[in-house]
PDB file of all heavy atoms in Angstrom:
ATOM      1  N   ARG A 256      -4.643  15.792  -6.114  1.00 98.00           N
ATOM      2  CA  ARG A 256      -4.095  14.654  -6.828  1.00 98.00           C
ATOM      3  C   ARG A 256      -2.909  15.079  -7.708  1.00 98.00           C
ATOM      4  O   ARG A 256      -3.075  15.893  -8.594  1.00 98.00           O
ATOM      5  CB  ARG A 256      -5.180  14.035  -7.707  1.00 98.00           C
ATOM      6  CG  ARG A 256      -4.686  12.883  -8.591  1.00 98.00           C
ATOM      7  CD  ARG A 256      -5.855  12.239  -9.312  1.00 98.00           C
ATOM      8  NE  ARG A 256      -5.370  11.209 -10.234  1.00 98.00           N
ATOM      9  CZ  ARG A 256      -6.158  10.376 -10.911  1.00 98.00           C
ATOM     10  NH1 ARG A 256      -7.471  10.540 -10.844  1.00 98.00           N
ATOM     11  NH2 ARG A 256      -5.615   9.487 -11.705  1.00 98.00           N
ATOM     12  N   VAL A 489     -14.567   5.228  -7.579  1.00 98.00           N
ATOM     13  CA  VAL A 489     -13.754   4.275  -6.838  1.00 98.00           C
ATOM     14  C   VAL A 489     -12.556   4.954  -6.197  1.00 98.00           C
ATOM     15  O   VAL A 489     -12.178   4.628  -5.043  1.00 98.00           O
ATOM     16  CB  VAL A 489     -13.383   3.074  -7.656  1.00 98.00           C
ATOM     17  CG1 VAL A 489     -12.393   3.444  -8.783  1.00 98.00           C
ATOM     18  CG2 VAL A 489     -12.785   1.943  -6.807  1.00 98.00           C
ATOM     19  N   VAL A 490     -11.928   5.845  -6.893  1.00 98.00           N
ATOM     20  CA  VAL A 490     -10.701   6.468  -6.355  1.00 98.00           C
ATOM     21  C   VAL A 490     -11.008   7.305  -5.109  1.00 98.00           C
ATOM     22  O   VAL A 490     -10.367   7.120  -4.062  1.00 98.00           O
ATOM     23  CB  VAL A 490     -10.031   7.344  -7.455  1.00 98.00           C
ATOM     24  CG1 VAL A 490      -8.911   8.191  -6.845  1.00 98.00           C
ATOM     25  CG2 VAL A 490      -9.478   6.471  -8.545  1.00 98.00           C
ATOM     26  N   ILE A 520      -5.985  -3.542  -3.915  1.00 97.00           N
ATOM     27  CA  ILE A 520      -6.205  -3.933  -5.307  1.00 97.00           C
ATOM     28  C   ILE A 520      -6.784  -5.371  -5.340  1.00 97.00           C
ATOM     29  O   ILE A 520      -6.272  -6.296  -4.695  1.00 97.00           O
ATOM     30  CB  ILE A 520      -4.872  -3.909  -6.115  1.00 97.00           C
ATOM     31  CG1 ILE A 520      -4.273  -2.485  -6.094  1.00 97.00           C
ATOM     32  CG2 ILE A 520      -5.046  -4.437  -7.494  1.00 97.00           C
ATOM     33  CD1 ILE A 520      -5.161  -1.435  -6.656  1.00 97.00           C
ATOM     34  N   LYS A 524     -13.273  -5.156  -6.200  1.00 96.00           N
ATOM     35  CA  LYS A 524     -13.073  -4.172  -7.233  1.00 96.00           C
ATOM     36  C   LYS A 524     -12.999  -4.824  -8.634  1.00 96.00           C
ATOM     37  O   LYS A 524     -12.396  -5.876  -8.772  1.00 96.00           O
ATOM     38  CB  LYS A 524     -11.812  -3.352  -6.944  1.00 96.00           C
ATOM     39  CG  LYS A 524     -11.820  -2.647  -5.613  1.00 96.00           C
ATOM     40  CD  LYS A 524     -10.496  -2.035  -5.236  1.00 96.00           C
ATOM     41  CE  LYS A 524     -10.551  -1.380  -3.869  1.00 96.00           C
ATOM     42  NZ  LYS A 524     -10.499  -2.357  -2.780  1.00 96.00           N
ATOM     43  N   SER A 525     -13.594  -4.170  -9.593  1.00 96.00           N
ATOM     44  CA  SER A 525     -13.564  -4.680 -10.945  1.00 96.00           C
ATOM     45  C   SER A 525     -12.216  -4.409 -11.594  1.00 96.00           C
ATOM     46  O   SER A 525     -11.373  -3.658 -11.011  1.00 96.00           O
ATOM     47  CB  SER A 525     -14.675  -4.040 -11.762  1.00 96.00           C
ATOM     48  OG  SER A 525     -14.407  -2.626 -11.957  1.00 96.00           O
ATOM     49  N   LEU A 526     -12.002  -4.938 -12.779  1.00 97.00           N
ATOM     50  CA  LEU A 526     -10.802  -4.631 -13.508  1.00 97.00           C
ATOM     51  C   LEU A 526     -10.654  -3.114 -13.717  1.00 97.00           C
ATOM     52  O   LEU A 526      -9.592  -2.549 -13.481  1.00 97.00           O
ATOM     53  CB  LEU A 526     -10.803  -5.357 -14.857  1.00 97.00           C
ATOM     54  CG  LEU A 526      -9.646  -4.962 -15.828  1.00 97.00           C
ATOM     55  CD1 LEU A 526      -8.288  -5.274 -15.246  1.00 97.00           C
ATOM     56  CD2 LEU A 526      -9.830  -5.674 -17.172  1.00 97.00           C
ATOM     57  N   ALA A 527     -11.727  -2.490 -14.128  1.00 97.00           N
ATOM     58  CA  ALA A 527     -11.712  -1.029 -14.353  1.00 97.00           C
ATOM     59  C   ALA A 527     -11.384  -0.314 -13.045  1.00 97.00           C
ATOM     60  O   ALA A 527     -10.603   0.669 -13.044  1.00 97.00           O
ATOM     61  CB  ALA A 527     -13.037  -0.522 -14.901  1.00 97.00           C
ATOM     62  N   ASP A 528     -11.949  -0.737 -11.947  1.00 97.00           N
ATOM     63  CA  ASP A 528     -11.683  -0.127 -10.646  1.00 97.00           C
ATOM     64  C   ASP A 528     -10.199  -0.220 -10.304  1.00 97.00           C
ATOM     65  O   ASP A 528      -9.570   0.742  -9.861  1.00 97.00           O
ATOM     66  CB  ASP A 528     -12.483  -0.778  -9.529  1.00 97.00           C
ATOM     67  CG  ASP A 528     -13.995  -0.572  -9.628  1.00 97.00           C
ATOM     68  OD1 ASP A 528     -14.390   0.442 -10.231  1.00 97.00           O
ATOM     69  OD2 ASP A 528     -14.754  -1.382  -9.106  1.00 97.00           O
ATOM     70  N   ASN A 529      -9.613  -1.414 -10.458  1.00 98.00           N
ATOM     71  CA  ASN A 529      -8.225  -1.620 -10.155  1.00 98.00           C
ATOM     72  C   ASN A 529      -7.297  -0.749 -10.980  1.00 98.00           C
ATOM     73  O   ASN A 529      -6.349  -0.148 -10.471  1.00 98.00           O
ATOM     74  CB  ASN A 529      -7.840  -3.083 -10.356  1.00 98.00           C
ATOM     75  CG  ASN A 529      -8.472  -4.015  -9.329  1.00 98.00           C
ATOM     76  OD1 ASN A 529      -8.577  -3.656  -8.142  1.00 98.00           O
ATOM     77  ND2 ASN A 529      -8.893  -5.196  -9.762  1.00 98.00           N
ATOM     78  N   LEU A 530      -7.609  -0.637 -12.245  1.00 98.00           N
ATOM     79  CA  LEU A 530      -6.797   0.184 -13.140  1.00 98.00           C
ATOM     80  C   LEU A 530      -6.841   1.672 -12.728  1.00 98.00           C
ATOM     81  O   LEU A 530      -5.851   2.372 -12.699  1.00 98.00           O
ATOM     82  CB  LEU A 530      -7.210   0.019 -14.585  1.00 98.00           C
ATOM     83  CG  LEU A 530      -6.997  -1.400 -15.184  1.00 98.00           C
ATOM     84  CD1 LEU A 530      -7.659  -1.510 -16.556  1.00 98.00           C
ATOM     85  CD2 LEU A 530      -5.516  -1.695 -15.299  1.00 98.00           C
ATOM     86  N   LEU A 531      -8.056   2.119 -12.382  1.00 98.00           N
ATOM     87  CA  LEU A 531      -8.204   3.519 -11.976  1.00 98.00           C
ATOM     88  C   LEU A 531      -7.433   3.782 -10.680  1.00 98.00           C
ATOM     89  O   LEU A 531      -6.781   4.847 -10.532  1.00 98.00           O
ATOM     90  CB  LEU A 531      -9.678   3.832 -11.794  1.00 98.00           C
ATOM     91  CG  LEU A 531     -10.528   3.953 -13.042  1.00 98.00           C
ATOM     92  CD1 LEU A 531     -12.015   4.015 -12.701  1.00 98.00           C
ATOM     93  CD2 LEU A 531     -10.091   5.152 -13.864  1.00 98.00           C
ATOM     94  N   LEU A 532      -7.514   2.866  -9.714  1.00 98.00           N
ATOM     95  CA  LEU A 532      -6.809   3.023  -8.429  1.00 98.00           C
ATOM     96  C   LEU A 532      -5.299   3.066  -8.613  1.00 98.00           C
ATOM     97  O   LEU A 532      -4.640   3.896  -8.022  1.00 98.00           O
ATOM     98  CB  LEU A 532      -7.177   1.918  -7.480  1.00 98.00           C
ATOM     99  CG  LEU A 532      -8.520   2.090  -6.768  1.00 98.00           C
ATOM    100  CD1 LEU A 532      -8.878   0.796  -6.031  1.00 98.00           C
ATOM    101  CD2 LEU A 532      -8.471   3.229  -5.765  1.00 98.00           C
ATOM    102  N   ILE A 533      -4.790   2.177  -9.446  1.00 98.00           N
ATOM    103  CA  ILE A 533      -3.346   2.176  -9.626  1.00 98.00           C
ATOM    104  C   ILE A 533      -2.883   3.456 -10.342  1.00 98.00           C
ATOM    105  O   ILE A 533      -1.847   4.043  -9.994  1.00 98.00           O
ATOM    106  CB  ILE A 533      -2.902   0.878 -10.413  1.00 98.00           C
ATOM    107  CG1 ILE A 533      -3.109  -0.316  -9.498  1.00 98.00           C
ATOM    108  CG2 ILE A 533      -1.462   0.992 -10.858  1.00 98.00           C
ATOM    109  CD1 ILE A 533      -2.861  -1.643 -10.175  1.00 98.00           C
ATOM    110  N   ASN A 534      -3.646   3.903 -11.307  1.00 98.00           N
ATOM    111  CA  ASN A 534      -3.287   5.180 -11.954  1.00 98.00           C
ATOM    112  C   ASN A 534      -3.366   6.355 -10.977  1.00 98.00           C
ATOM    113  O   ASN A 534      -2.639   7.369 -11.170  1.00 98.00           O
ATOM    114  CB  ASN A 534      -4.223   5.448 -13.159  1.00 98.00           C
ATOM    115  CG  ASN A 534      -3.806   4.690 -14.412  1.00 98.00           C
ATOM    116  OD1 ASN A 534      -2.598   4.369 -14.582  1.00 98.00           O
ATOM    117  ND2 ASN A 534      -4.754   4.393 -15.263  1.00 98.00           N
ATOM    118  N   ALA A 535      -4.209   6.252  -9.962  1.00 98.00           N
ATOM    119  CA  ALA A 535      -4.412   7.342  -9.016  1.00 98.00           C
ATOM    120  C   ALA A 535      -3.613   7.167  -7.749  1.00 98.00           C
ATOM    121  O   ALA A 535      -3.778   7.968  -6.795  1.00 98.00           O
ATOM    122  CB  ALA A 535      -5.884   7.440  -8.652  1.00 98.00           C
ATOM    123  N   LEU A 536      -2.677   6.238  -7.664  1.00 98.00           N
ATOM    124  CA  LEU A 536      -1.931   5.982  -6.436  1.00 98.00           C
ATOM    125  C   LEU A 536      -1.280   7.261  -5.845  1.00 98.00           C
ATOM    126  O   LEU A 536      -1.289   7.401  -4.600  1.00 98.00           O
ATOM    127  CB  LEU A 536      -0.850   4.921  -6.662  1.00 98.00           C
ATOM    128  CG  LEU A 536      -1.263   3.465  -6.504  1.00 98.00           C
ATOM    129  CD1 LEU A 536      -0.079   2.557  -6.832  1.00 98.00           C
ATOM    130  CD2 LEU A 536      -1.744   3.203  -5.056  1.00 98.00           C
ATOM    131  N   MET A 555      -6.400  -9.226 -12.188  1.00 96.00           N
ATOM    132  CA  MET A 555      -6.412  -8.172 -13.230  1.00 96.00           C
ATOM    133  C   MET A 555      -5.325  -8.458 -14.274  1.00 96.00           C
ATOM    134  O   MET A 555      -5.504  -8.110 -15.452  1.00 96.00           O
ATOM    135  CB  MET A 555      -6.209  -6.788 -12.602  1.00 96.00           C
ATOM    136  CG  MET A 555      -4.898  -6.558 -11.903  1.00 96.00           C
ATOM    137  SD  MET A 555      -4.673  -4.871 -11.313  1.00 96.00           S
ATOM    138  CE  MET A 555      -4.655  -3.952 -12.834  1.00 96.00           C
ATOM    139  N   LEU A 559      -5.962  -9.015 -18.387  1.00 97.00           N
ATOM    140  CA  LEU A 559      -5.357  -8.222 -19.469  1.00 97.00           C
ATOM    141  C   LEU A 559      -4.383  -9.038 -20.313  1.00 97.00           C
ATOM    142  O   LEU A 559      -3.735  -8.474 -21.200  1.00 97.00           O
ATOM    143  CB  LEU A 559      -4.601  -7.025 -18.848  1.00 97.00           C
ATOM    144  CG  LEU A 559      -5.486  -6.000 -18.127  1.00 97.00           C
ATOM    145  CD1 LEU A 559      -4.645  -5.022 -17.320  1.00 97.00           C
ATOM    146  CD2 LEU A 559      -6.365  -5.254 -19.135  1.00 97.00           C
ATOM    147  N   LEU A 575       3.316  -3.755 -12.804  1.00 98.00           N
ATOM    148  CA  LEU A 575       2.530  -3.031 -11.808  1.00 98.00           C
ATOM    149  C   LEU A 575       3.387  -2.535 -10.657  1.00 98.00           C
ATOM    150  O   LEU A 575       3.126  -1.448 -10.105  1.00 98.00           O
ATOM    151  CB  LEU A 575       1.400  -3.920 -11.280  1.00 98.00           C
ATOM    152  CG  LEU A 575       0.290  -4.245 -12.307  1.00 98.00           C
ATOM    153  CD1 LEU A 575      -0.700  -5.259 -11.697  1.00 98.00           C
ATOM    154  CD2 LEU A 575      -0.427  -2.995 -12.772  1.00 98.00           C
ATOM    155  N   LYS A 578       4.994   0.567 -11.860  1.00 98.00           N
ATOM    156  CA  LYS A 578       3.992   1.660 -11.889  1.00 98.00           C
ATOM    157  C   LYS A 578       3.809   2.198 -10.475  1.00 98.00           C
ATOM    158  O   LYS A 578       3.716   3.426 -10.274  1.00 98.00           O
ATOM    159  CB  LYS A 578       2.655   1.100 -12.427  1.00 98.00           C
ATOM    160  CG  LYS A 578       1.540   2.149 -12.456  1.00 98.00           C
ATOM    161  CD  LYS A 578       1.808   3.234 -13.461  1.00 98.00           C
ATOM    162  CE  LYS A 578       0.599   4.152 -13.582  1.00 98.00           C
ATOM    163  NZ  LYS A 578       0.845   5.265 -14.555  1.00 98.00           N
TER     164      LYS A 578
END
Side-chain angles (χ1 to χ4, degrees):
R256 177 175 176 174
V489 67
V490 170
I520 300 302
K524 301 171 182 77
S525 67
L526 172 61
D528 292 336
N529 290 322
L530 294 172
L531 289 170
L532 279 170
I533 291 174
N534 279 334
L536 273 178
M555 64 176 294
L559 294 170
L575 291 176
K578 179 68 174 178

